[in-house]
Amino acid sequence: MSKHLGLNPYLPFWETVPDGEPHVFDGRIYIYGSHDKRNGTSFCEDDYVCWSAPVDDLGNWKYEGVIYKKIQDPINGAPYDKEMPEYEPSFFGAETRLLYAPDVTKGPDGRYYLYYALDTVNVISVAVCDTPAGEYEFLDYVRREDGTIPEVGRWFDPAILCEESGNYLYYGFCPPMRFPGMEELDIPGAMMVKLSDDMHTIISEPVCVANGIDTAKGTAYEAHPFFEASSIRHFGDWYYFVYSSLQGHELCYGMAKTPEGPFEYKGVIVSNGDIGYEGNTLPVNYTGNNHGGLVEVEGAYYIFWHRHTHGIAFSRQGCADRVVICEDGTIPQIEITSCGLNDGALPASGQYSSYIACHLTEGDREKVGQVIMAGPGEAVPELPEEMPYITEEVQEDDVVCDEATLTKEENLYPYICNMRKGALAGFKYFAFSGNETKIGLTLRGEGTMEVLLDAAGEKVVGNCEKSGENWKQVWITLPKIEGKQALYFRVAEGKVDFAEFEIR
């Protein structure tokens, strides 16, 4: 049986599950994450959903459905017969709090426990289910036996590890400024507490396992202090603590021989702009926040991360790329690709959507920065005039029912919008056999596109003619190309939208 291609993003284009925490249970890999709205106006606007894939076919993702809803938490009005924890009012002005980044573990009783924080609420909640992707039910809040919650660290972005030695909960948020409700908090960095086997009662005092901005000076964390996005894994002799640094776009990690830490800072695993990879100082894509975790799948290791679409911070898609663990346990920084979960380069012969681009920049690389954000209650600002971005249009005459999801979805046609002179879209990698003779680009607009094998344009292999107001496929004859190659498409003149390409 042939395997499905593993692409970045790995889920269907219409799905937006960032903050991905991958876990393998009983021969399948499950993804737990936040749930953005496509082209949304805030982070994490939808309920939790889950996707899974067999460990031997990482391109074959199945939609497991909604596993937990915002309204199931008592802070959002669900029934609860115990004393409620104290929490501050929402500075978003919303009555219903949003579900932020979660994590899941299999507990000592064989059930599955989901940990999450609601937006602006300094409390971590727990839900439980008998299966990895069933309907989770609210269990309780993480508190001491007397009902109190330690006032060290911000209870945010939980990560959970369940082992014979105990149950370890990691959490934290370390901004350079204090938001409402955080003014009096002691925030040294990423924190860890142990939980009893009921999976919600705290049985140890918080300890700092990775330094944040307030405590990083003079430590190995000084240049990359802990900000948020705690994630924990145990491979071999080492425990790996993955986190998002204050830079935002990068996932860093520390290592320790015990789950209690402290974790020794080791470096960057991935940047969603490839900043730092092989000395890159300019991003290969517009950057934004990042969150994800490591996973081992049949002897191979992957880092899950997320990217941003629509030019904004609030419409994020999950991506993943393979990492190498060296003999000493360290992980060198990897590059972001279009073929992330595939077993090697994608076959060159075939049809691909432009939305799998791992490189997307405007003509002036110095202007490629962060995606656009808006504060609570504010409208999302207009995008910069020169900014290319991934978006979609709805094919209203062809509404389909996706059998994988069992839900009716709009038939979306994704494309890269607003590519102006000098804009570059790159794809890594393809395996060329030498028999491919032409490439067809589906374009719209008034412009000319160059096809390159090198981002610097040193290997221009063809130019396509001008397109027009409607989508049009234009063909270029290819020279003989062999081996693993990156493909780049650059606007030479004018302005175009770029939907897909086909290699024959």
Side-chain angles (χ1 to χ4, degrees), residues 173-238:
F173 178 54
C174 294
M177 61 176 291
R178 293 290 191 264
F179 294 103
M182 301 171 60
E183 296 89 350
E184 304 302 322
L185 282 181
D186 180 14
I187 307 183
M191 310 302 297
M192 185 278 297
V193 294
K194 292 187 71 173
L195 302 179
S196 72
D197 282 349
D198 69 10
M199 301 303 285
H200 62 82
T201 300
I202 297 171
I203 58 174
S204 72
E205 289 305 302
V207 294
C208 181
V209 296
N211 298 97
I213 189 171
D214 291 347
T215 63
K217 188 173 179 59
T219 76
Y221 286 89
E222 184 169 359
H224 304 268
F226 171 85
F227 178 52
E228 60 182 356
S230 295
S231 182
I232 185 71
R233 294 294 185 275
H234 183 192
F235 301 138
D237 294 333
W238 291 102

Side-chain angles (χ1 to χ4, degrees), residues 276-288:
Y277 176 72
E278 294 188 342
N280 287 348
T281 57
L282 296 177
V284 303
N285 215 324
Y286 294 86
T287 61

Side-chain angles (χ1 to χ4, degrees), residues 335-351:
E335 66 175 332
I336 59 176
T337 72
S338 303
C339 57
L341 290 173
N342 203 56
D343 187 17
L346 302 168
S349 180
Q351 186 167 351

Side-chain angles (χ1 to χ4, degrees), residues 48 74 176 186 225 262 273 343 348 397 450 455:
Y48 289 145
D186 180 14
D343 187 17
D397 295 333
E450 297 175 321

Side-chain angles (χ1 to χ4, degrees), residues 279-355:
N280 287 348
T281 57
L282 296 177
V284 303
N285 215 324
Y286 294 86
T287 61
N289 68 2
N290 210 346
H291 189 153
L294 291 164
V295 69
E296 180 184 3
V297 183
E298 299 202 311
Y301 297 89
Y302 300 89
I303 182 69
F304 281 66
W305 54 279
H306 64 236
R307 71 171 193 181
H308 300 73
T309 63
H310 299 81
I312 59 175
F314 309 126
S315 189
R316 301 165 294 172
Q317 295 177 322
C319 296
D321 279 290
R322 192 165 180 170
V323 301
V324 174
I325 297 184
C326 301
E327 288 188 7
D328 64 357
T330 57
I331 303 173
Q333 183 174 348
I334 55 97
E335 66 175 332
I336 59 176
T337 72
S338 303
C339 57
L341 290 173
N342 203 56
D343 187 17
L346 302 168
S349 180
Q351 186 167 351
Y352 297 95
S353 173
S354 66
Y355 79 79

